[in-house]
Amino acid sequence: MTEKSEFSTLLAGVGGQGLMLLSSVIGEACAMSGQRIITGEQHGLSQRSGSISVHLRIGPDVISPLIPIGSANAIISLEALETLRYIEYLQDDGIILMNSRIMHPITETSQVAKDKELSYFGLEEIEKRLSEVTENVLALDALALARQAGNPLTENIVLLGAVCAFEAFPIPMDKVRSAISQIVPEKAREANLTAFELGLKASHARFCDKFPCKNLE
Amino acid sequence: MGIDDIISEAPKTAFMLCNEAIVRAALESDIKVYAAYPGSPTAEIVDTFYALRHKLDMRIDISSNEKVALETVAGAAMAGLRGMTSMKSVGLNVASDTFYTLGYVGVKGGLVLVVADDPHAHSSQSEQDGRYFSPSAYIPMLEPSDPTDAARMVKYGFDLSEKFQTPVVLRTVTRVNHQSGLVRTGEMKRTPFQKVDWPHEPTRFVTVAESARNFKHHMLERSKAIMEEFENSELNTKSIGNSPDVGVITSSAGYNYAIEACRLLDVSPSVLKLGTTYPLPEKLIADFISPLKRVIVIEELSPYLERQVAAIAKEVNPGIEIIGKRSGHFSEALEYNANIVAKVFSQLFGVKTPRDYDAVISRAQKLKQGIPVRPPTFCPGCPHRGTFSALRKALKGVKHVFASDIGCYSMSALSPNFYGDSMLCMGASVGIAAGFFYSVNEKVIAMIGDSTFFHAGMPGLVNAVHNDVDFKLIILDNDVTAMTGQQPHPGTPLPEDEPGMKRVLLEDVVRGMGVEDVTIVDPYDVKNASDTMKEALSRLGLGVIISRRVCALHGDRLKRRSGERIIPNFVDKEVCKRIYACEKDFHCPAISIDEEDRRVIISRELCDGCMVCAKLCPIGAIKSTEGAK
C-alpha cells in the first residue's frame, strides 16, 4: 500500500492568496531534499477571488496528481470557509491547519445586504462542523502574523512555517527555508522568511501539546 | 523552477510544471519557431516561451488566434525549420481548417502541435474530446500521462514528424498540463537561427483536385507506416500482472488513476498503457487482449479507445467482456480520480476499497450544507465591474437581449450577477447578435473582449456592417488577454523592448470596417460612461462602444514595476447610512458588511483603490486612505 509512505496535503484558499507560490516552494524543497512529489494544480481562473485547491503528494511511490477522497493526511487552508469546501479529501483524524480569516464571498454579501436578519457563515460553525471529521483542527490568525512579518501577502508562508513544526510533515525545515529564498522574488524575501519563522513558532507554541512537533533547536 | 533553469544547458532534476517541461523539451529539440494563442490549460506554455523571448535565438509569437499560430509554424515547417504551437481543446476547432489540410501536404521540418483537453470543463466552455481530430485528419497523436512522459514525447514527436513528414499532435488533459513533478531534463545544445532558401518544388504544398487525391493516398500509406512504427514503440508499455484473465488498457491521466487504484486495492491486472493513440497499435492491442476474459478500458471523456478495443476484440477475442463506459461502469462526463477507478475495481475484483468513498462524500455534503458558494468573479479594481454597472444603468427599463462572449466578462453570467443570454465560443457574440436582431423584438447588445475581438470577432462585425444589422457591440479594451494570464494581443500598448511591433487600435479597426458610430468610455467613470452609453444605445443602427481601462491585475503589475503604490479605500462609518449602493450590482470582493452595525467595510488587503465604489456612494461615505481623489 502506498498510503503509509505518503504524505498528501490538500491546499485550499481563495484566488490571489498565493497557493501556486506555496506549491512551488514545497515542490522546490522536495527537489532539494530528493523527495518525490506530484502536484495537481488549478491555474486559469484562479486569480479571480474564486475557490481554489492544489493537491500535493509526497512519497516514493506517488503516481497520480489527485488525492483520492478521504485520503489526505492534511488540509492546509488559507481561508476558513475553503477548508470546509474540500473536507471530503481529508482522512478521518487528519490534520487541519487553517487560517482563521474568512473572506466573505460576494454571493453571501449580496444576501447579507438584502436581509438585515442574516449573518455571515462564521468561524465557530466551521470549526464545529470540521470537528465531526477530525479532532486536529488547528486555526491560526495568519493575516495578523503576515502583517507582523511586514507583508500581508505572506499568509501562505506563515502557514507553511506552521505545518513545518509538525513531525508528520516530511520535508526538512532548512530545505523549506532555502526553497523560499530561491522562489520568492528578492524584494519580498525577507518578509517571507520572517513569516515562515513566525508561523513555525506560533504553531510550536500553540499546537505541540496536541500534536507531535519537531524540535526547534 | 525558474526561467533560467529552463534554458540551462546542463541536465538537472527540477520541480517543473508539465507545461514548463514541454517548453524545455521543445528547446532541447532545437525548435526555431513557436507561435500560439493563450488558452487554459496551455497558457503557461505561452507564458514560459514569452518570458524567454529575448534570451533565445528563435522566433516566439503570441498570435491573434490558433489558426494563425498553426499556419505560422506550418510555414516554418514547410521551409524545413522546426516549429511548435499549443492550444486548448477548442482552439483546435479554430485551427482545424488548417489542421486537416496540413495533414494532407505534411511538413519538412518537425511540427508538434500541443492540444489540451479539459475534462471537467475547469476553464473551458465544454468537455470536448479532441482525440477525434487525429483519426479524421490522419495526423499521428501521442498522449503523455505526466511531465516526464510529456517531455519525452515532445522530443520523439519532432523526430517522428520529420521522419514521416507529418505534423504530430501531443494531446494532453488539464491534469497532465497542470501537474508538477520532478523532471530530469536532457542536454540542451541549440544551433543558431538561420533562414533557409525556399526549395522550389511546385505543388509540394498545394492541394487541389488531382493533387488532393494523390495526397489522400499518400496519407493512408503514411498512417499505415506510422502504425507499424507504433507497434514497437517504447511509448506503449505493458506490465504483466498476476490476474491472468484480466487486463487494463489505458492512456493519459487515466493511467495514473488506474495504477493508483491497483495499489489501493492490492490487485494486479496486466496493464497496457498506450502512449501512441493514433494510429493505434492494433496488433499490440490484439496480442494483449487475446488471452484475456475481461479487459477494463480506463480513459476520460468519450469511449475513444474502448470502441476501437471492441472492434479489435471482435476479430481476435469476441467473447471478451469489455468494461468501460458502454458497460455502464464509467462515465463519459467529468474527470476521473483514483477513487472512481478503485470503486469499479472493487466491484470487479471483489476487494473492498480502503474507505467507503460514497459515505465520505455524503458526510461531506451534509457538512457543507449552507456554506456560501464562491464562484470566480471580477477582481477588485476590475474595469469590467464598472462597465457592467454603467451598462445596466444605461439600459434601465430598456428591454434587451445580451449576447456575451469568452473572457473574464463571461463571469457576469454567474452568481450574483446572472447577466447573459448567450455565450458559446470565441467571437460568437457578434454573429449571434445578427441572428438575434433578425429574430427578437428586444434591443440587441453584444459584448466582446479586445483579444477575443481580434481573435474571432472581426468577421462577424464586417458581416454586420455589410448586411445592415442593427445592434450595439461593446468591446472591453483592457490592454491584454486577461483571463489566461494577461498576455499581450495586437491592441496591447507596446513595451519598450519591442521596437518593431505595431499596436493595432480597436477604434481604427472598427472604423476601417465601416462602423460609423464609435463611442469610447472609461468604466472607472461610471456616471459619464453610463450617460454616454445611454445616448449611444438610443441611436439607431450598428454601433460600437469601446470601454477602455487596463486590466486591474495587469495594471497592478505595471504599478509595482514602476514603484507606484496601491492606495486602498475605507468606509467612513460616521457617514455610511447602510444604503449599500456600493454593493448592489457591483459586488466587489473587497466589500463586506459589518455584522455589528450593518455598515459597509472595505478590506485593506483586497481593495485595489479604483475608487469606483466611492463614486457609486451617493453620500460620499467611501474615501481613499490617503485623502479622497
Side-chain angles (χ1 to χ4, degrees):
Chain A
M1 298 284 275
T2 54
E3 283 194 342
K4 292 184 184 103
S5 55
E6 181 188 335
F7 193 85
S8 284
T9 309
L10 191 116
L11 307 179
V14 175
Q17 286 194 294
L19 257 78
M20 295 305 140
L21 181 89
L22 182 51
S23 159
S24 294
V25 169
I26 296 173
E28 195 60 43
C30 283
M32 287 174 179
S33 57
Q35 281 166 291
R36 185 174 166 82
I37 176 167
I38 295 179
T39 69
E41 301 168 14
Q42 205 178 355
H43 299 250
L45 296 165
S46 53
Q47 280 170 306
R48 281 135 196 104
S49 309
S51 162
I52 54 169
S53 65
V54 173
H55 295 239
L56 206 142
R57 313 187 71 184
I58 302 167
D61 300 318
V62 290
I63 185 161
S64 135
L66 296 182
I67 302 167
I69 295 295
S71 310
N73 300 84
I75 293 181
I76 301 179
S77 176
L78 296 175
E79 200 270 357
L81 270 175
E82 295 311 308
T83 324
L84 199 46
R85 204 179 306 282
Y86 296 97
I87 192 61
E88 65 270 29
Y89 286 101
L90 191 70
Q91 61 186 37
D92 285 357
D93 299 319
I95 312 167
I96 290 177
L97 177 65
M98 68 175 179
N99 194 352
S100 55
R101 180 181 181 190
I102 296 180
M103 292 159 79
H104 305 303
I106 53 165
T107 49
E108 194 183 17
T109 294
S110 74
Q111 295 304 314
V112 172
K114 274 181 206 144
D115 182 351
K116 270 195 288 204
E117 303 303 313
L118 221 59
S119 56
Y120 284 111
F121 206 93
L123 186 64
E124 238 174 81
E125 179 65 20
I126 293 170
E127 286 180 321
K128 197 181 106 197
R129 293 194 189 188
L130 292 175
S131 70
E132 287 188 39
V133 178
T134 176
E135 286 179 6
N136 305 312
V137 182
L138 316 171
L140 265 188
D141 187 348
L143 182 57
L145 293 171
R147 282 190 187 128
Q148 200 184 319
N151 183 345
L153 296 174
T154 58
E155 285 172 299
N156 51 359
I157 302 300
V158 168
L159 287 175
L160 178 59
V163 76
C164 275
F166 304 142
E167 232 172 61
F169 192 68
I171 315 172
M173 266 182 241
D174 59 320
K175 294 288 189 276
V176 178
R177 288 189 185 101
S178 309
I180 295 171
S181 298
Q182 193 166 317
I183 300 273
V184 173
E186 204 181 329
K187 275 196 296 194
R189 197 167 296 156
E190 208 187 299
N192 276 278
L193 288 169
T194 311
F196 179 83
E197 301 306 328
L198 289 175
L200 182 65
K201 277 187 200 123
S203 177
H204 221 270
R206 293 259 318 273
F207 308 134
C208 282
D209 53 333
K210 248 180 136 172
F211 220 81
C213 280
K214 290 173 190 156
N215 195 339
L216 279 193
E217 294 312 310
Chain B
M1 158 134 279
I3 283 296
D4 290 328
D5 291 330
I6 291 175
I7 51 174
S8 74
E9 276 184 25
K12 65 180 276 192
T13 300
F15 179 69
M16 288 172 111
L17 182 66
C18 181
N19 283 341
E20 294 174 327
I22 287 172
V23 174
R24 168 74 192 197
L27 294 177
E28 285 174 17
S29 309
D30 204 19
I31 67 157
K32 297 302 179 201
V33 179
Y34 169 80
Y37 182 81
S40 194
T42 59
E44 301 78 16
I45 302 177
V46 177
D47 292 338
T48 307
F49 270 115
Y50 191 70
L52 291 168
R53 72 196 184 284
H54 296 309
K55 298 189 173 189
L56 290 167
D57 193 14
M58 63 175 285
R59 179 82 203 191
I60 294 167
D61 271 11
I62 296 185
S63 308
S64 52
N65 70 28
E66 294 86 353
K67 182 170 185 286
V68 174
L70 177 57
E71 286 154 358
T72 304
V73 295
M78 285 172 179
L81 301 188
R82 285 190 165 186
M84 185 165 96
T85 182
S86 55
M87 56 194 72
K88 68 184 294 166
S89 57
V90 290
L92 187 50
N93 299 348
V94 177
S96 62
D97 209 358
T98 306
F99 180 77
Y100 278 93
T101 319
L102 191 61
Y104 271 64
V105 300
V107 293
K108 284 193 170 168
L111 192 159
V112 172
L113 189 161
V114 182
V115 185
D117 285 347
D118 190 15
H120 220 93
H122 289 284
S123 50
S124 309
Q125 61 267 47
S126 74
E127 281 195 314
Q128 178 176 311
D129 192 330
R131 291 178 295 175
Y132 290 92
F133 276 107
S134 273
S136 57
Y138 302 93
I139 292 176
M141 168 167 59
L142 310 174
E143 285 193 71
S145 59
D146 64 36
T148 298
D149 215 17
R152 184 167 64 140
M153 286 184 184
V154 167
K155 289 196 256 186
Y156 170 71
F158 280 107
D159 294 339
L160 180 75
S161 175
E162 281 167 6
K163 180 173 175 189
F164 291 97
Q165 304 213 335
T166 171
V168 170
V169 165
L170 181 81
R171 187 263 185 178
T172 53
V173 293
T174 301
R175 294 299 180 185
V176 172
N177 294 92
H178 287 166
Q179 187 186 138
S180 291
L182 300 186
V183 178
R184 181 79 192 157
T185 63
E187 200 78 48
M188 186 153 83
K189 290 208 178 80
R190 296 191 51 79
T191 60
F193 186 96
Q194 266 178 329
K195 286 197 179 188
V196 295
D197 292 325
W198 177 253
H200 281 282
E201 295 168 70
T203 73
R204 169 63 188 85
F205 295 107
V206 177
T207 168
V208 58
E210 183 61 22
S211 72
R213 295 187 279 274
N214 290 337
F215 274 128
K216 179 69 184 277
H217 287 297
H218 167 72
M219 207 161 48
L220 294 174
E221 290 303 315
R222 185 182 73 198
S223 287
K224 220 184 269 174
I226 296 173
M227 188 194 286
E228 278 302 311
E229 170 147 339
F230 285 175
E231 293 288 1
N232 300 305
S233 171
E234 288 173 0
L235 301 179
N236 303 314
T237 54
K238 197 158 76 170
S239 66
I240 303 300
N242 58 16
S243 308
D245 297 345
V246 188
V248 168
I249 295 180
T250 182
S251 69
S252 185
Y255 169 75
N256 306 326
Y257 308 137
I259 296 297
E260 183 166 5
C262 287
R263 292 177 186 168
L264 284 171
L265 270 65
D266 210 7
V267 295
S268 95
S270 298
V271 176
L272 176 61
K273 177 193 187 246
L274 293 170
T276 68
T277 47
Y278 178 78
L280 276 174
E282 291 182 7
K283 200 172 162 301
L284 181 72
I285 295 171
D287 289 348
F288 182 76
I289 58 173
S290 287
L292 302 179
K293 289 195 174 130
R294 179 185 256 180
V295 64
I296 309 163
V297 185
I298 299 171
E299 58 183 326
E300 292 173 310
L301 303 180
S302 307
Y304 170 83
L305 295 175
E306 187 182 333
R307 285 219 167 88
Q308 298 186 70
V309 168
I312 294 167
K314 191 165 182 238
E315 287 166 22
V316 299
N317 185 357
I320 194 171
E321 185 190 8
I322 300 173
I323 304 289
K325 296 160 200 286
R326 299 190 312 157
S327 66
H329 290 84
F330 289 101
S331 172
E332 292 186 38
L334 309 183
E335 67 181 7
Y336 290 0
N337 186 340
N339 52 267
I340 290 175
V341 178
K343 203 174 138 186
V344 175
F345 279 6
S346 155
Q347 195 184 327
L348 298 173
F349 290 94
V351 184
K352 270 180 75 172
T353 54
R355 294 180 173 77
D356 182 347
Y357 299 120
D358 291 336
V360 175
I361 290 171
S362 87
R363 177 182 65 184
Q365 278 168 346
K366 229 176 78 202
L367 293 174
K368 287 196 262 188
Q369 256 170 30
I371 69 167
V373 296
R374 195 191 301 272
T377 184
F378 307 123
C379 305
C382 175
H384 297 343
R385 192 176 283 110
T387 302
F388 277 107
S389 194
L391 178 66
R392 296 180 85 166
K393 277 193 179 72
L395 282 167
K396 207 164 185 186
V398 180
K399 284 192 175 159
H400 66 279
V401 54
F402 177 59
S404 189
D405 218 300
I406 304 285
C408 291
Y409 47 97
S410 313
M411 295 185 300
S412 73
L414 303 174
S415 173
N417 289 294
F418 301 113
Y419 188 51
D421 293 310
S422 76
M423 195 203 92
L424 291 182
C425 60
M426 296 286 283
S429 62
V430 198
I432 299 261
F436 282 167
F437 169 66
Y438 297 147
S439 319
V440 303
N441 292 317
E442 287 82 357
K443 193 170 196 64
V444 180
I445 311 290
M447 178 179 279
I448 192 166
D450 42 6
S451 183
T452 308
F453 180 72
F454 287 121
H455 177 286
M458 288 167 57
L461 192 59
V462 169
N463 172 73
V465 171
H466 176 65
N467 286 314
D468 191 21
V469 178
D470 181 351
F471 62 83
K472 293 292 181 281
L473 176 66
I474 296 157
I475 307 182
L476 304 168
D477 182 3
N478 62 4
D479 285 357
V480 286
T481 307
M483 192 160 224
T484 49
Q486 303 95 51
Q487 295 84 1
H489 62 61
T492 303
L494 296 176
E496 280 156 15
D497 56 355
E498 303 290 357
M501 294 173 85
K502 190 174 158 86
R503 180 182 184 192
V504 181
L505 274 174
L506 282 168
E507 54 269 44
D508 293 349
V509 172
V510 299
R511 286 200 181 103
M513 284 176 169
V515 179
E516 286 162 12
D517 187 353
V518 181
T519 311
I520 299 173
V521 299
D522 175 5
Y524 273 11
D525 186 358
V526 178
K527 170 120 194 13
N528 272 326
S530 177
D531 293 346
T532 311
M533 276 182 179
K534 194 170 179 178
E535 215 181 290
L537 291 166
S538 68
R539 289 193 288 268
L540 281 179
L542 182 69
V544 166
I545 300 168
I546 298 170
S547 183
R548 176 169 288 153
R549 177 61 78 158
V550 64
C551 160
L553 291 177
H554 185 61
D556 287 352
R557 198 171 302 129
L558 297 178
K559 275 184 194 166
R560 275 197 298 275
R561 235 174 259 163
S562 69
E564 198 184 325
R565 285 185 311 125
I566 292 159
I567 303 158
N569 297 343
F570 76 102
V571 175
D572 185 340
K573 288 211 173 180
E574 304 289 310
V575 184
C576 177
K577 290 205 167 63
R578 297 174 277 236
I579 308 167
Y580 307 136
C582 57
E583 193 282 325
K584 280 177 209 155
D585 294 339
F586 195 63
H587 309 303
C588 177
I591 290 177
S592 60
I593 289 159
D594 190 333
E595 285 169 295
E596 299 289 313
D597 57 17
R598 309 300 285 191
R599 290 190 169 85
V600 174
I601 35 178
I602 293 178
S603 158
R604 275 187 85 96
E605 280 73 34
L606 296 176
C607 179
D608 193 52
C610 71
M611 297 298 289
V612 178
C613 61
K615 290 169 192 159
L616 292 172
C617 178
I619 51 174
I622 299 175
K623 297 167 183 172
S624 169
T625 48
E626 292 191 8
K629 277 186 210 164

